[in-house]
Amino acid sequence: MKIFATAGLLALLACPAVASAQAAAATLPDAFDGPAAAQRPMIPPPAADEVQAPDVARSEAALRSIIAALQAGAPDYTVFTDDLATQIRQRADEIAPLVRGFGAVQAVAFVGEQNGAELFSVAFANQRTVWLIGFNDDDRIAALLFRPIQAEDEPQS
């Protein structure tokens, strides 16, 4: 028995780092298992889709509303940032007849996201178009672009 005790003491003296690591690990409390850990609520991380997915339904509804208002010649300028509202007012005489000439909206399809804004393909009775709509931090429309396209140029979703 004395031989085993001496061998154990020699092992601890020969490897002091191992001995102190074992002693330190044995004396440190585990802060994650204490009572404070039990009181903290567990917050699950957001799903990847929730973090990166644009608010497509909101953007599509706003886009449909804007198109209808433009075709009626009465856009609601309060939904736009001041700068964008000014730009639309300045070009209203050319924008309204152009959008009216596209005809009735037949289909709106989400295409993707570009620089924080949502991109949609909008098919009208007389024209296919691509629209980009983006919101600022105050939930006002800060970006609104559209262009007519040919069928072979339409973005793929």
Side-chain angles (χ1 to χ4, degrees):
M1 182 90 157
K2 202 173 207 184
I3 296 173
F4 290 116
T6 306
L9 181 60
L10 287 174
L12 290 176
L13 293 174
C15 300
V18 172
S20 65
Q22 290 173 348
T27 59
L28 289 177
D30 188 352
F32 296 105
D33 289 336
Q39 293 173 0
R40 280 182 258 148
M42 294 300 292
I43 301 172
D49 291 344
E50 292 175 15
V51 174
Q52 297 178 0
D55 187 356
V56 177
R58 172 190 68 153
S59 297
E60 182 178 338
L63 183 59
R64 286 178 179 273
S65 176
I66 291 166
I67 290 170
L70 287 172
Q71 288 183 328
D76 177 8
Y77 295 107
T78 64
V79 301
F80 303 109
T81 60
D82 294 339
D83 184 50
L84 185 57
T86 299
Q87 291 177 37
I88 293 173
R89 275 189 187 99
Q90 291 173 349
R91 299 189 63 198
D93 290 341
E94 55 187 286
I95 294 172
L98 179 65
V99 176
R100 200 173 304 124
F102 293 162
V105 173
Q106 295 179 331
V108 177
F110 175 70
V111 175
E113 188 174 359
Q114 183 177 353
N115 298 325
E118 287 77 44
L119 190 65
F120 290 88
S121 170
V122 181
F124 292 90
N126 304 322
Q127 182 68 53
R128 298 184 70 76
T129 59
V130 173
W131 292 71
L132 180 127
I133 184 170
F135 295 84
N136 69 3
D137 291 337
D138 296 327
D139 208 33
R140 293 176 69 195
I141 299 168
L144 181 68
L145 304 169
F146 71 95
R147 70 177 180 92
I149 59 170
Q150 303 301 320
E152 63 271 8
D153 294 336
E154 186 158 355
Q156 303 297 313
S157 51

